[in-house]
């Protein structure tokens, strides 16, 4: 999983990786060469008092050291470019994949974990790549090369290598095995704190309304305490790790000096060689330590890679046709036809829509009415392919929507959702979503029709230099700084600017008062002339003038016709009308 993910995303950086390998090889060779040069100076220069020799070899040492610094810096530079570039690419892959998710896949994951996966998990993989690139050549060559060189300097002390290396490995290994489960826990803790935080931000009004602050604060405190606890445990192990490693290194040094000193006394080895041996031993231990750290990153990165790959390998349930059929006509309204459409949400037992058939003609208004939960939103969501029909067909100008290119559907169908969602940015930016080239007059016209021009004109946001008014005033993410009715009018205007061939209003008028509702529809009738209009509504007055009204009950069409016809023919329709008349009279 980790390997596949890395291999796939490493491909564009292979030349960089090769550069890292070559540069590191040079660095390591220089590192290994230095102690032996140092030994030469001590044994052949200092011991014999040959200043010339000291200068000469010292000069070489300086050059080697400089080369080592330059290659080391260059290798880290390339390594960082690869790791960060790869991180960016993986994040982009995750983003584009999530972008193609339908509501089903979104629901399966939830926002919190998708965000963690796209950020924190990618970071883990990125860290591993960075570490591996920095150490992949260095660790094996430095440890093996170090051993060879050390033994060459003094075979009599080689047993010190065989003792100290395993001791260090055991100590670091023990600490690492304690750390691994904690890292796994930390990832889960981050997920849950993200979840709580997100829910609290999104649901802040509800929390306030139900005076649930205490409870929510408690929930956050728990999640936060768990994360802190995990971090503290990790910190504690790290605190032990530093001194433990230092002790091993110092003990090794002391042992070299102690046993080596005796050997120097006995004339078995020269001082320079002993110094070199000590430096090699330290290099070996360093390499072993870095190698262990690198392996320590693996389990955590594997977990993260699995979480990322899961997202990347989720096939979107809505397939784009390989060879899309073009729409037969490009202008005016497009006929929407449902042919015996049945739809069930995944995992649900009974279908939400059952044998729905109707045709919404161009230039006409089709209204859909029905109680809450009768399937109205589900029905209209099939037109822009937010879902696909379980059986039966939805056709646009006679072409099944499943045969159309996604871009063609988006251009043809303008859906104003039941829960409108303005994006963060200026009002103009929001309105131009469907048509980036729309001029200001078009924006104002659309606002005029949607009865939104008044409040936009008076709107001021920001302070100081950032004050903005009218079209340039800002809307926050999700439209939390405009009222529900304003949000709805903005979203109607947004769809008007896009000028689609089919307008679908899902309960878009219910947040408006009766007068505004009437005015908006009046304006729409002028503005959308020729287009196909589908209106989902709760209020009878919204739909009395529709050319065709469909009465939906538990996913079936139980009545169809004009207002007058339905008053005659449909019991359900009469009940709805009666209930609303009574409500109005009482009000
Ligand atoms: N994403 C979903 N997953 C599962 N069931 C859903 C989903 N959305 C809606 N439903 C169910 O489908 C039925 C119809 O819902 P909906 O189309 O929103 O009705 P309406 O818009 O008429 O109020 C309801 O019973 C609802 O519980
Ligand atoms: Mg609905």
């Amino acid at each position: 999983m980790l390997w596949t993910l890395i291999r796939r995303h490493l491909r564009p950086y292979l030349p960089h990786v090769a550069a890292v390998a070559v540069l590191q090889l040079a660095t390591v060779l220089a590192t290994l060469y230095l102690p032996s040069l140092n030994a030469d100076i001590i044994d052949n220069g200092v011991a014999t008092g040959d200043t010339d020799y000291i200068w000469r070899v010292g000069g070489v040492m300086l050059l080697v050291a400089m080369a080592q610094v330059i290659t080391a810096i260059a290798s880290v530079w390339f390594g960082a470019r690869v790791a960060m570039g790869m991180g960016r690419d993986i994040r982009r892959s995750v983003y584009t994949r999530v972008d193609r998710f339908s509501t089903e896949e979104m629901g399966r994951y939830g926002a919190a974990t998708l965000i963690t996966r796209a950020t924190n998990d990618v970071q883990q993989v990125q860290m591993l790549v960075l570490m591996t690139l920095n150490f992949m050549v260095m660790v094996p060559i430095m440890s093996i090369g170090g051993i060879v060189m050390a033994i060459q300097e003094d075979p009599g002390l080689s047993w010190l290598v065989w003792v100290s290396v395993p001791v260090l490995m055991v100590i670091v290994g023990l600490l690492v095995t304690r750390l691994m489960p904690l890292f796994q826990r930390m990832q889960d803790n981050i997920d849950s704190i993200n979840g709580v935080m997100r829910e609290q931000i999104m649901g802040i009004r509800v929390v306030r309304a139900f005076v649930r602050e205490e409870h929510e604060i408690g929930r956050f405190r728990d999640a936060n305490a768990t994360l802190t606890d995990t971090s503290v445990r990790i910190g504690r192990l790290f605190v032990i790790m530093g001194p433990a490693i230092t002790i091993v290194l110092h003990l090794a040094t002391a042992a070299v000096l102690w046993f080596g000193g005796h050997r120097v006394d006995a004339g078995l080895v020269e001082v320079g060689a002993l110094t070199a041996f000590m430096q090699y031993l330290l290099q070996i231990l360093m390499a072993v330590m870095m190698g262990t750290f690198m392996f320590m990153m693996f389990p955590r990165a594997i977990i993260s890679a699995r979480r990322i790959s899961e997202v990347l390998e989720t096939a979107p349930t809505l397939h784009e046709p390989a060879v899309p059929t073009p729409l037969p006509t490009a202008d005016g309204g497009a006929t929407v036809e449902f042919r015996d459409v049945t739809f069930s949400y995944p995992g649900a037992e009974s279908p939400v829509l059952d044998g729905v058939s109707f045709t919404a003609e161009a230039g006409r208004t089709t209204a859909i009415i029905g109680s809450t939960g009768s399937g109205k939103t589900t029905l209209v969501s099939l037109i822009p392919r937010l879902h696909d029909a379980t059986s039966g067909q939805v056709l646009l100008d006679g072409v099944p929507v499943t045969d159309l290119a996604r871009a063609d559907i988006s251009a043809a169908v303008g859906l104003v959702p039941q829960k409108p969602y303005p994006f963060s940015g200026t009002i103009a930016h929001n309105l131009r979503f469907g048509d980036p080239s729309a001029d200001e007059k078009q924006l104002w016209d659309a606002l005029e029709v949607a009865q939104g021009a008044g409040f936009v004109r008076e709107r001021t946001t920001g302070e100081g230099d950032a004050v903005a008014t009218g079209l340039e005033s800002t809307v926050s993410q999700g439209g939390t700084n405009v009222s529900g009715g304003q949000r709805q009018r903005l979203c109607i205007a947004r769809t008007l600017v896009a000028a689609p061939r089919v307008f679908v209003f899902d309960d878009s008028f219910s947040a408006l008062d009766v007068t505004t509702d009437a005015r908006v529809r009046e304006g729409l009738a002028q503005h959308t002339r020729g287009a196909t209009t589908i209106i989902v509504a709760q209020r009878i007055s919204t739909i009395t003038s529709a050319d065709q009204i469909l009465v939906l009950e538990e996913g079936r069409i139980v009545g169809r016709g004009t207002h007058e016809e339905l008053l005659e023919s449909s019991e359900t329709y009469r009940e709805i009308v009666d209930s609303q008349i009574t409500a109005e009279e009482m009000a």
Side-chain angles (χ1 to χ4, degrees):
M1 201 67 94
L2 176 68
W3 176 230
T4 327
L5 182 75
I6 289 180
R7 202 184 42 198
R8 192 173 305 150
H9 288 89
L10 203 58
R11 211 165 288 146
Y13 302 100
L14 286 181
H16 282 70
V17 175
V20 172
V22 170
L23 287 166
Q24 244 179 59
L25 188 64
T27 315
V28 149
L29 291 180
T31 314
L32 285 172
Y33 191 31
L34 283 173
S36 93
L37 282 176
N38 194 29
D40 284 350
I41 289 187
I42 295 173
D43 294 340
N44 305 336
V46 178
T48 58
D50 186 346
T51 330
D52 244 20
Y53 185 86
I54 298 180
W55 275 110
R56 208 154 20 85
V57 181
V60 175
M61 265 187 91
L62 192 65
L63 285 180
V64 172
M66 265 167 24
Q68 181 203 24
V69 168
I70 292 171
T71 51
I73 292 176
S75 123
V76 170
W77 188 81
F78 277 113
R81 287 203 65 106
V82 174
M84 300 307 137
M86 224 184 97
R88 175 196 57 205
D89 297 350
I90 298 179
R91 272 194 298 275
R92 186 170 46 207
S93 305
V94 173
Y95 182 86
T96 37
R97 173 58 52 143
V98 170
D99 196 42
R100 287 174 57 203
F101 277 7
S102 74
T103 34
E104 259 119 74
E105 287 94 43
M106 281 296 184
R108 190 154 84 229
Y109 285 102
T113 185
L114 285 177
I115 291 171
T116 321
R117 285 171 206 231
T119 51
N120 194 298
D121 284 308
V122 172
Q123 217 175 335
Q124 302 307 329
V125 174
Q126 193 173 292
M127 283 288 286
L128 177 84
V129 171
L130 187 64
M131 290 268 261
T132 314
L133 284 176
N134 281 339
F135 294 153
M136 64 180 180
V137 177
M138 182 147 79
V139 167
I141 294 190
M142 194 143 112
S143 41
I144 295 170
I147 292 173
V148 171
M149 295 296 278
I151 293 174
Q152 207 178 37
E153 294 292 344
D154 185 7
L157 281 178
S158 61
W159 64 272
L160 272 174
V161 175
W162 310 129
V163 171
S164 56
V165 167
V167 167
L168 186 70
M169 280 176 113
V170 167
I171 291 182
V172 177
L174 269 180
L175 288 168
V176 166
T177 44
R178 299 264 153 91
L179 276 170
M180 279 345 299
L182 288 175
F183 278 144
Q184 161 78 56
R185 242 180 73 182
M186 180 125 124
Q187 219 62 12
D188 295 342
N189 292 164
I190 292 175
D191 255 0
S192 74
I193 213 163
N194 270 359
V196 175
M197 189 86 197
R198 215 190 118 77
E199 200 165 67
Q200 248 154 275
I201 295 169
M202 305 294 276
I204 188 82
R205 285 170 202 220
V206 184
V207 171
R208 294 265 159 78
F210 286 90
V211 200
R212 296 282 285 175
E213 278 110 328
E214 283 297 324
H215 176 257
E216 288 300 313
I217 289 170
R219 226 153 66 92
F220 185 79
R221 194 171 39 218
D222 291 346
N224 204 4
T226 319
L227 178 62
T228 312
D229 179 57
T230 313
S231 311
V232 168
R233 280 162 190 248
I234 290 174
R236 237 182 257 146
L237 286 173
F238 266 112
V239 164
I240 300 173
M241 190 177 291
I245 290 168
T246 318
I247 286 177
V248 175
L249 295 188
H250 285 313
L251 282 179
T253 314
V256 171
L257 289 176
W258 174 262
F259 295 105
H262 286 300
R263 287 172 63 78
V264 172
D265 263 353
L268 292 171
V269 66
E270 291 186 77
V271 177
L274 185 64
T275 321
F277 181 90
M278 193 162 78
Q279 285 169 347
Y280 283 127
L281 182 59
L282 290 184
Q283 283 180 2
I284 297 165
L285 292 179
M286 282 302 215
V288 168
M289 197 177 75
M290 288 189 288
T292 322
F293 273 136
M294 194 175 87
F295 277 103
M296 175 175 104
M297 298 286 302
F298 268 96
R300 198 175 178 193
I302 287 172
I303 292 162
S304 289
R306 194 181 303 141
R307 285 159 52 97
I308 297 168
S309 306
E310 211 177 21
V311 177
L312 292 181
E313 277 154 26
T314 302
T317 35
L318 304 178
H319 298 285
E320 176 123 16
V323 186
T325 313
L327 279 169
T329 54
D331 296 307
T335 313
V336 174
E337 190 187 346
F338 275 56
R339 265 188 215 154
D340 198 20
V341 168
T342 301
F343 179 82
S344 312
Y345 281 102
E349 280 180 13
S350 50
V352 172
L353 295 176
D354 193 0
V356 172
S357 298
F358 71 90
T359 306
E361 304 275 359
R364 309 212 158 231
T365 301
T366 300
I368 301 168
I369 195 162
S371 57
T372 313
S374 54
K376 306 182 294 294
T377 297
T378 308
L379 189 156
V380 294
S381 73
L382 299 182
I383 306 170
R385 269 197 96 190
L386 300 182
H387 299 289
D388 274 339
T390 313
S391 71
Q393 274 186 322
V394 178
L395 305 104
L396 206 57
D397 256 357
V399 184
V401 285
T402 45
D403 290 350
L404 292 169
R406 214 156 72 119
D408 284 350
I409 302 180
S410 327
V413 180
L415 169 71
V416 181
Q418 187 166 12
K419 290 190 207 117
Y421 194 91
F423 288 87
S424 54
T426 62
I427 290 200
H429 164 80
N430 261 290
L431 294 180
R432 287 202 177 101
F433 234 74
D435 179 7
S437 62
D439 59 32
E440 283 207 3
K441 184 174 177 306
Q442 283 170 287
L443 303 189
W444 282 116
D445 283 350
L447 283 170
E448 213 63 70
V449 172
Q451 301 296 307
F455 88 84
V456 169
R457 209 171 280 126
E458 278 157 28
R459 214 160 169 277
T460 307
T461 54
E463 43 193 65
D465 286 344
V467 163
T469 53
L471 287 175
E472 293 311 312
S473 67
T474 54
V475 182
S476 53
Q477 194 179 51
T480 42
N481 64 349
V482 289
S483 80
Q486 290 171 340
R487 207 179 303 158
Q488 208 133 33
R489 280 176 277 173
L490 278 183
C491 289
I492 293 173
R494 176 167 76 185
T495 306
L496 286 171
V497 171
R501 301 172 60 198
V502 179
F503 282 91
V504 183
F505 300 99
D506 187 2
D507 245 337
S508 309
F509 308 108
S510 50
L512 310 179
D513 58 83
V514 181
T515 341
T516 316
D517 175 355
R519 282 212 204 105
V520 173
R521 276 182 297 109
E522 212 170 288
L524 279 176
Q526 308 283 326
H527 202 90
T528 64
R529 205 195 307 267
T532 314
T533 308
I534 297 177
I535 297 181
V536 169
Q538 309 265 2
R539 215 183 271 146
I540 290 285
S541 65
T542 312
I543 59 163
T544 38
S545 58
D547 300 293
Q548 165 180 234
I549 300 171
L550 308 173
V551 185
L552 206 61
E553 194 175 78
E554 290 178 3
R556 285 169 209 273
I557 296 183
V558 293
R560 68 178 78 205
T562 61
H563 177 64
E564 284 74 24
E565 287 164 4
L566 282 169
L567 282 178
E568 289 286 318
S569 64
S570 170
E571 179 70 25
T572 320
Y573 191 74
R574 265 198 308 271
E575 275 169 21
I576 299 175
V577 173
D578 284 346
S579 69
Q580 293 194 3
I581 287 173
T582 330
E584 259 165 44
E585 279 170 350
M586 283 178 7

